[in-house]
PDB file of all heavy atoms in Angstrom:
ATOM      1  N   ASN A  37      -5.083  15.168  -0.236  1.00 94.00           N
ATOM      2  CA  ASN A  37      -4.887  16.456   0.341  1.00 94.00           C
ATOM      3  C   ASN A  37      -3.607  17.178  -0.274  1.00 94.00           C
ATOM      4  O   ASN A  37      -2.895  17.800   0.271  1.00 94.00           O
ATOM      5  CB  ASN A  37      -4.636  16.455   1.762  1.00 94.00           C
ATOM      6  CG  ASN A  37      -5.849  15.841   2.443  1.00 94.00           C
ATOM      7  OD1 ASN A  37      -7.022  16.172   2.255  1.00 94.00           O
ATOM      8  ND2 ASN A  37      -5.566  14.788   3.311  1.00 94.00           N
ATOM      9  N   SER A  38      -3.465  16.942  -1.734  1.00 92.00           N
ATOM     10  CA  SER A  38      -2.259  17.494  -2.278  1.00 92.00           C
ATOM     11  C   SER A  38      -2.591  18.595  -3.318  1.00 92.00           C
ATOM     12  O   SER A  38      -3.827  18.637  -3.841  1.00 92.00           O
ATOM     13  CB  SER A  38      -1.423  16.394  -2.907  1.00 92.00           C
ATOM     14  OG  SER A  38      -0.893  15.508  -1.882  1.00 92.00           O
ATOM     15  N   PHE A  39      -1.577  19.274  -3.866  1.00 92.00           N
ATOM     16  CA  PHE A  39      -1.786  20.314  -4.824  1.00 92.00           C
ATOM     17  C   PHE A  39      -1.099  19.892  -6.121  1.00 92.00           C
ATOM     18  O   PHE A  39       0.038  19.571  -6.180  1.00 92.00           O
ATOM     19  CB  PHE A  39      -1.332  21.595  -4.403  1.00 92.00           C
ATOM     20  CG  PHE A  39      -1.321  22.746  -5.413  1.00 92.00           C
ATOM     21  CD1 PHE A  39      -2.589  23.135  -5.998  1.00 92.00           C
ATOM     22  CD2 PHE A  39      -0.236  23.430  -5.740  1.00 92.00           C
ATOM     23  CE1 PHE A  39      -2.640  24.164  -6.883  1.00 92.00           C
ATOM     24  CE2 PHE A  39      -0.294  24.528  -6.582  1.00 92.00           C
ATOM     25  CZ  PHE A  39      -1.395  24.910  -7.194  1.00 92.00           C
ATOM     26  N   LEU A  40      -1.892  19.653  -7.255  1.00 87.00           N
ATOM     27  CA  LEU A  40      -1.323  19.264  -8.532  1.00 87.00           C
ATOM     28  C   LEU A  40      -1.494  20.407  -9.529  1.00 87.00           C
ATOM     29  O   LEU A  40      -2.658  20.776  -9.716  1.00 87.00           O
ATOM     30  CB  LEU A  40      -1.980  18.003  -9.082  1.00 87.00           C
ATOM     31  CG  LEU A  40      -1.640  16.792  -8.170  1.00 87.00           C
ATOM     32  CD1 LEU A  40      -2.710  16.676  -7.103  1.00 87.00           C
ATOM     33  CD2 LEU A  40      -1.720  15.534  -9.187  1.00 87.00           C
ATOM     34  N   SER A  41      -0.555  20.885 -10.179  1.00 86.00           N
ATOM     35  CA  SER A  41      -0.693  22.028 -11.144  1.00 86.00           C
ATOM     36  C   SER A  41       0.199  21.933 -12.190  1.00 86.00           C
ATOM     37  O   SER A  41       1.342  21.524 -12.098  1.00 86.00           O
ATOM     38  CB  SER A  41      -0.661  23.318 -10.352  1.00 86.00           C
ATOM     39  OG  SER A  41       0.689  23.729 -10.007  1.00 86.00           O
ATOM     40  N   HIS A  42      -0.241  22.540 -13.372  1.00 81.00           N
ATOM     41  CA  HIS A  42       0.591  22.710 -14.598  1.00 81.00           C
ATOM     42  C   HIS A  42       1.140  21.397 -15.035  1.00 81.00           C
ATOM     43  O   HIS A  42       2.365  21.188 -15.228  1.00 81.00           O
ATOM     44  CB  HIS A  42       1.663  23.758 -14.336  1.00 81.00           C
ATOM     45  CG  HIS A  42       1.323  25.168 -13.887  1.00 81.00           C
ATOM     46  ND1 HIS A  42       0.225  25.786 -14.629  1.00 81.00           N
ATOM     47  CD2 HIS A  42       1.698  25.925 -13.009  1.00 81.00           C
ATOM     48  CE1 HIS A  42       0.094  27.022 -14.069  1.00 81.00           C
ATOM     49  NE2 HIS A  42       0.966  27.075 -13.151  1.00 81.00           N
ATOM     50  N   HIS A  43       0.261  20.474 -15.356  1.00 75.00           N
ATOM     51  CA  HIS A  43       0.751  19.182 -15.967  1.00 75.00           C
ATOM     52  C   HIS A  43       0.269  19.058 -17.375  1.00 75.00           C
ATOM     53  O   HIS A  43      -0.772  19.424 -17.645  1.00 75.00           O
ATOM     54  CB  HIS A  43       0.226  17.965 -15.137  1.00 75.00           C
ATOM     55  CG  HIS A  43       0.843  18.078 -13.691  1.00 75.00           C
ATOM     56  ND1 HIS A  43       2.304  17.842 -13.362  1.00 75.00           N
ATOM     57  CD2 HIS A  43       0.355  18.222 -12.420  1.00 75.00           C
ATOM     58  CE1 HIS A  43       2.564  17.986 -12.155  1.00 75.00           C
ATOM     59  NE2 HIS A  43       1.374  18.216 -11.633  1.00 75.00           N
ATOM     60  N   ASP A  44       0.981  18.273 -18.080  1.00 70.00           N
ATOM     61  CA  ASP A  44       0.750  18.126 -19.507  1.00 70.00           C
ATOM     62  C   ASP A  44      -0.349  16.872 -19.651  1.00 70.00           C
ATOM     63  O   ASP A  44      -1.353  17.041 -20.296  1.00 70.00           O
ATOM     64  CB  ASP A  44       1.999  17.793 -20.382  1.00 70.00           C
ATOM     65  CG  ASP A  44       1.700  17.610 -21.776  1.00 70.00           C
ATOM     66  OD1 ASP A  44       0.888  18.307 -22.379  1.00 70.00           O
ATOM     67  OD2 ASP A  44       2.324  16.754 -22.430  1.00 70.00           O
ATOM     68  N   SER A  45      -0.112  15.818 -19.020  1.00 65.00           N
ATOM     69  CA  SER A  45      -0.958  14.702 -19.281  1.00 65.00           C
ATOM     70  C   SER A  45      -0.840  13.630 -18.067  1.00 65.00           C
ATOM     71  O   SER A  45       0.219  13.257 -17.721  1.00 65.00           O
ATOM     72  CB  SER A  45      -0.569  14.002 -20.530  1.00 65.00           C
ATOM     73  OG  SER A  45      -1.390  12.942 -20.822  1.00 65.00           O
ATOM     74  N   ARG A  46      -1.966  13.280 -17.679  1.00 60.00           N
ATOM     75  CA  ARG A  46      -2.141  12.085 -16.750  1.00 60.00           C
ATOM     76  C   ARG A  46      -1.206  12.136 -15.550  1.00 60.00           C
ATOM     77  O   ARG A  46      -0.417  11.162 -15.353  1.00 60.00           O
ATOM     78  CB  ARG A  46      -1.873  10.764 -17.513  1.00 60.00           C
ATOM     79  CG  ARG A  46      -2.875  10.437 -18.512  1.00 60.00           C
ATOM     80  CD  ARG A  46      -2.679   9.158 -19.057  1.00 60.00           C
ATOM     81  NE  ARG A  46      -2.955   9.111 -20.504  1.00 60.00           N
ATOM     82  CZ  ARG A  46      -2.757   8.059 -21.082  1.00 60.00           C
ATOM     83  NH1 ARG A  46      -2.214   6.890 -20.688  1.00 60.00           N
ATOM     84  NH2 ARG A  46      -3.046   8.058 -22.491  1.00 60.00           N
ATOM     85  N   VAL A  47      -1.268  13.213 -14.902  1.00 60.00           N
ATOM     86  CA  VAL A  47      -0.432  13.226 -13.649  1.00 60.00           C
ATOM     87  C   VAL A  47      -1.366  13.315 -12.456  1.00 60.00           C
ATOM     88  O   VAL A  47      -2.174  14.318 -12.321  1.00 60.00           O
ATOM     89  CB  VAL A  47       0.596  14.431 -13.606  1.00 60.00           C
ATOM     90  CG1 VAL A  47       1.343  14.558 -12.316  1.00 60.00           C
ATOM     91  CG2 VAL A  47       1.592  14.167 -14.769  1.00 60.00           C
ATOM     92  N   PRO A  48      -1.250  12.341 -11.557  1.00 63.00           N
ATOM     93  CA  PRO A  48      -0.409  11.270 -11.552  1.00 63.00           C
ATOM     94  C   PRO A  48      -1.098  10.101 -12.330  1.00 63.00           C
ATOM     95  O   PRO A  48      -2.220  10.086 -12.568  1.00 63.00           O
ATOM     96  CB  PRO A  48      -0.273  10.936 -10.023  1.00 63.00           C
ATOM     97  CG  PRO A  48      -1.655  11.187  -9.556  1.00 63.00           C
ATOM     98  CD  PRO A  48      -1.959  12.487 -10.345  1.00 63.00           C
ATOM     99  N   LEU A  49      -0.259   9.186 -12.785  1.00 63.00           N
ATOM    100  CA  LEU A  49      -0.776   7.992 -13.444  1.00 63.00           C
ATOM    101  C   LEU A  49      -0.750   6.940 -12.430  1.00 63.00           C
ATOM    102  O   LEU A  49       0.215   6.456 -11.865  1.00 63.00           O
ATOM    103  CB  LEU A  49       0.197   7.654 -14.600  1.00 63.00           C
ATOM    104  CG  LEU A  49       0.034   6.328 -15.233  1.00 63.00           C
ATOM    105  CD1 LEU A  49      -1.417   6.211 -15.965  1.00 63.00           C
ATOM    106  CD2 LEU A  49       1.052   6.099 -16.351  1.00 63.00           C
ATOM    107  N   PHE A  50      -1.980   6.417 -12.087  1.00 64.00           N
ATOM    108  CA  PHE A  50      -2.213   5.244 -11.226  1.00 64.00           C
ATOM    109  C   PHE A  50      -2.205   4.103 -12.125  1.00 64.00           C
ATOM    110  O   PHE A  50      -2.964   3.924 -13.091  1.00 64.00           O
ATOM    111  CB  PHE A  50      -3.464   5.333 -10.545  1.00 64.00           C
ATOM    112  CG  PHE A  50      -3.576   6.339  -9.421  1.00 64.00           C
ATOM    113  CD1 PHE A  50      -4.048   7.544  -9.716  1.00 64.00           C
ATOM    114  CD2 PHE A  50      -3.157   6.009  -8.157  1.00 64.00           C
ATOM    115  CE1 PHE A  50      -4.216   8.583  -8.761  1.00 64.00           C
ATOM    116  CE2 PHE A  50      -3.300   7.007  -7.174  1.00 64.00           C
ATOM    117  CZ  PHE A  50      -3.801   8.249  -7.480  1.00 64.00           C
ATOM    118  N   SER A  51      -1.364   3.138 -12.008  1.00 59.00           N
ATOM    119  CA  SER A  51      -1.167   2.084 -12.844  1.00 59.00           C
ATOM    120  C   SER A  51      -0.465   0.833 -12.286  1.00 59.00           C
ATOM    121  O   SER A  51       0.434   1.033 -11.537  1.00 59.00           O
ATOM    122  CB  SER A  51      -0.314   2.437 -14.069  1.00 59.00           C
ATOM    123  OG  SER A  51      -0.345   1.440 -14.998  1.00 59.00           O
ATOM    124  N   ASN A  52      -0.867  -0.396 -12.742  1.00 58.00           N
ATOM    125  CA  ASN A  52      -0.220  -1.544 -12.429  1.00 58.00           C
ATOM    126  C   ASN A  52       0.444  -2.050 -13.720  1.00 58.00           C
ATOM    127  O   ASN A  52       0.811  -3.162 -13.855  1.00 58.00           O
ATOM    128  CB  ASN A  52      -1.207  -2.670 -11.844  1.00 58.00           C
ATOM    129  CG  ASN A  52      -1.528  -2.471 -10.466  1.00 58.00           C
ATOM    130  OD1 ASN A  52      -0.846  -1.699  -9.806  1.00 58.00           O
ATOM    131  ND2 ASN A  52      -2.513  -3.247  -9.993  1.00 58.00           N
ATOM    132  N   CYS A  53       0.672  -1.074 -14.560  1.00 57.00           N
ATOM    133  CA  CYS A  53       1.326  -1.333 -15.823  1.00 57.00           C
ATOM    134  C   CYS A  53       2.662  -0.356 -15.976  1.00 57.00           C
ATOM    135  O   CYS A  53       2.511   0.829 -15.703  1.00 57.00           O
ATOM    136  CB  CYS A  53       0.471  -1.174 -17.070  1.00 57.00           C
ATOM    137  SG  CYS A  53      -0.896  -2.219 -17.142  1.00 57.00           S
ATOM    138  N   TYR A  54       3.678  -0.826 -16.470  1.00 54.00           N
ATOM    139  CA  TYR A  54       4.800   0.002 -16.642  1.00 54.00           C
ATOM    140  C   TYR A  54       5.607  -0.600 -17.798  1.00 54.00           C
ATOM    141  O   TYR A  54       5.984  -1.744 -17.866  1.00 54.00           O
ATOM    142  CB  TYR A  54       5.657   0.001 -15.403  1.00 54.00           C
ATOM    143  CG  TYR A  54       6.826   0.975 -15.384  1.00 54.00           C
ATOM    144  CD1 TYR A  54       6.578   2.351 -15.507  1.00 54.00           C
ATOM    145  CD2 TYR A  54       8.189   0.584 -15.684  1.00 54.00           C
ATOM    146  CE1 TYR A  54       7.613   3.293 -15.497  1.00 54.00           C
ATOM    147  CE2 TYR A  54       9.175   1.386 -15.587  1.00 54.00           C
ATOM    148  CZ  TYR A  54       8.936   2.739 -15.604  1.00 54.00           C
ATOM    149  OH  TYR A  54       9.988   3.753 -15.660  1.00 54.00           O
ATOM    150  N   THR A  55       5.809   0.185 -18.818  1.00 55.00           N
ATOM    151  CA  THR A  55       6.628  -0.173 -20.093  1.00 55.00           C
ATOM    152  C   THR A  55       6.035  -1.535 -20.632  1.00 55.00           C
ATOM    153  O   THR A  55       6.707  -2.308 -21.019  1.00 55.00           O
ATOM    154  CB  THR A  55       8.100  -0.268 -19.795  1.00 55.00           C
ATOM    155  OG1 THR A  55       8.394  -1.330 -18.805  1.00 55.00           O
ATOM    156  CG2 THR A  55       8.707   1.076 -19.392  1.00 55.00           C
ATOM    157  N   GLY A  56       4.724  -1.675 -20.701  1.00 57.00           N
ATOM    158  CA  GLY A  56       4.080  -2.739 -21.280  1.00 57.00           C
ATOM    159  C   GLY A  56       3.862  -3.886 -20.523  1.00 57.00           C
ATOM    160  O   GLY A  56       3.190  -4.863 -20.861  1.00 57.00           O
ATOM    161  N   THR A  57       4.396  -3.987 -19.328  1.00 60.00           N
ATOM    162  CA  THR A  57       4.170  -5.163 -18.373  1.00 60.00           C
ATOM    163  C   THR A  57       3.146  -4.855 -17.386  1.00 60.00           C
ATOM    164  O   THR A  57       3.248  -3.884 -16.697  1.00 60.00           O
ATOM    165  CB  THR A  57       5.450  -5.468 -17.666  1.00 60.00           C
ATOM    166  OG1 THR A  57       6.406  -5.742 -18.613  1.00 60.00           O
ATOM    167  CG2 THR A  57       5.374  -6.713 -16.880  1.00 60.00           C
ATOM    168  N   CYS A  58       2.087  -5.540 -17.288  1.00 59.00           N
ATOM    169  CA  CYS A  58       0.984  -5.386 -16.466  1.00 59.00           C
ATOM    170  C   CYS A  58       0.711  -6.421 -15.429  1.00 59.00           C
ATOM    171  O   CYS A  58       0.888  -7.636 -15.721  1.00 59.00           O
ATOM    172  CB  CYS A  58      -0.360  -5.203 -17.131  1.00 59.00           C
ATOM    173  SG  CYS A  58      -0.474  -3.802 -18.310  1.00 59.00           S
ATOM    174  N   VAL A  59       0.408  -6.079 -14.268  1.00 58.00           N
ATOM    175  CA  VAL A  59       0.043  -6.972 -13.201  1.00 58.00           C
ATOM    176  C   VAL A  59      -1.547  -7.002 -13.051  1.00 58.00           C
ATOM    177  O   VAL A  59      -2.061  -5.832 -13.075  1.00 58.00           O
ATOM    178  CB  VAL A  59       0.656  -6.565 -11.831  1.00 58.00           C
ATOM    179  CG1 VAL A  59       0.130  -7.539 -10.699  1.00 58.00           C
ATOM    180  CG2 VAL A  59       2.170  -6.772 -11.947  1.00 58.00           C
ATOM    181  N   PRO A  60      -2.291  -7.993 -12.946  1.00 57.00           N
ATOM    182  CA  PRO A  60      -3.551  -7.975 -12.868  1.00 57.00           C
ATOM    183  C   PRO A  60      -4.110  -7.040 -11.733  1.00 57.00           C
ATOM    184  O   PRO A  60      -3.470  -6.942 -10.636  1.00 57.00           O
ATOM    185  CB  PRO A  60      -4.145  -9.413 -12.568  1.00 57.00           C
ATOM    186  CG  PRO A  60      -2.991 -10.127 -13.060  1.00 57.00           C
ATOM    187  CD  PRO A  60      -1.802  -9.356 -12.901  1.00 57.00           C
ATOM    188  N   GLY A  61      -5.267  -6.312 -11.898  1.00 55.00           N
ATOM    189  CA  GLY A  61      -5.876  -5.336 -10.912  1.00 55.00           C
ATOM    190  C   GLY A  61      -5.998  -6.109  -9.649  1.00 55.00           C
ATOM    191  O   GLY A  61      -6.671  -7.123  -9.590  1.00 55.00           O
ATOM    192  N   ASN A  62      -5.653  -5.537  -8.538  1.00 58.00           N
ATOM    193  CA  ASN A  62      -5.704  -6.182  -7.382  1.00 58.00           C
ATOM    194  C   ASN A  62      -5.980  -5.199  -6.077  1.00 58.00           C
ATOM    195  O   ASN A  62      -5.655  -5.517  -5.046  1.00 58.00           O
ATOM    196  CB  ASN A  62      -4.463  -6.992  -6.975  1.00 58.00           C
ATOM    197  CG  ASN A  62      -3.116  -6.185  -7.040  1.00 58.00           C
ATOM    198  OD1 ASN A  62      -3.220  -4.976  -7.188  1.00 58.00           O
ATOM    199  ND2 ASN A  62      -2.069  -6.813  -6.722  1.00 58.00           N
ATOM    200  N   GLY A  63      -6.376  -3.993  -6.442  1.00 67.00           N
ATOM    201  CA  GLY A  63      -6.640  -3.170  -5.318  1.00 67.00           C
ATOM    202  C   GLY A  63      -7.587  -1.962  -5.688  1.00 67.00           C
ATOM    203  O   GLY A  63      -8.280  -2.091  -6.671  1.00 67.00           O
ATOM    204  N   ALA A  64      -7.414  -0.944  -5.014  1.00 76.00           N
ATOM    205  CA  ALA A  64      -8.210   0.242  -5.323  1.00 76.00           C
ATOM    206  C   ALA A  64      -7.258   1.485  -5.110  1.00 76.00           C
ATOM    207  O   ALA A  64      -6.196   1.389  -4.624  1.00 76.00           O
ATOM    208  CB  ALA A  64      -9.381   0.307  -4.278  1.00 76.00           C
ATOM    209  N   PHE A  65      -7.855   2.630  -5.525  1.00 81.00           N
ATOM    210  CA  PHE A  65      -7.094   3.824  -5.228  1.00 81.00           C
ATOM    211  C   PHE A  65      -8.086   4.867  -4.697  1.00 81.00           C
ATOM    212  O   PHE A  65      -9.276   4.795  -4.932  1.00 81.00           O
ATOM    213  CB  PHE A  65      -6.290   4.364  -6.402  1.00 81.00           C
ATOM    214  CG  PHE A  65      -7.102   4.965  -7.540  1.00 81.00           C
ATOM    215  CD1 PHE A  65      -7.344   6.379  -7.549  1.00 81.00           C
ATOM    216  CD2 PHE A  65      -7.676   4.213  -8.507  1.00 81.00           C
ATOM    217  CE1 PHE A  65      -8.052   6.974  -8.532  1.00 81.00           C
ATOM    218  CE2 PHE A  65      -8.416   4.872  -9.510  1.00 81.00           C
ATOM    219  CZ  PHE A  65      -8.632   6.198  -9.597  1.00 81.00           C
TER     220      PHE A  65
END
Side-chain angles (χ1 to χ4, degrees):
N37 308 306
S38 293
F39 177 55
L40 294 86
S41 73
H42 300 311
H43 295 294
D44 183 38
S45 177
R46 299 188 213 172
V47 174
L49 171 61
F50 289 96
S51 180
N52 278 350
C53 298
Y54 186 72
T55 62
T57 303
C58 297
V59 173
N62 57 359
F65 76 92

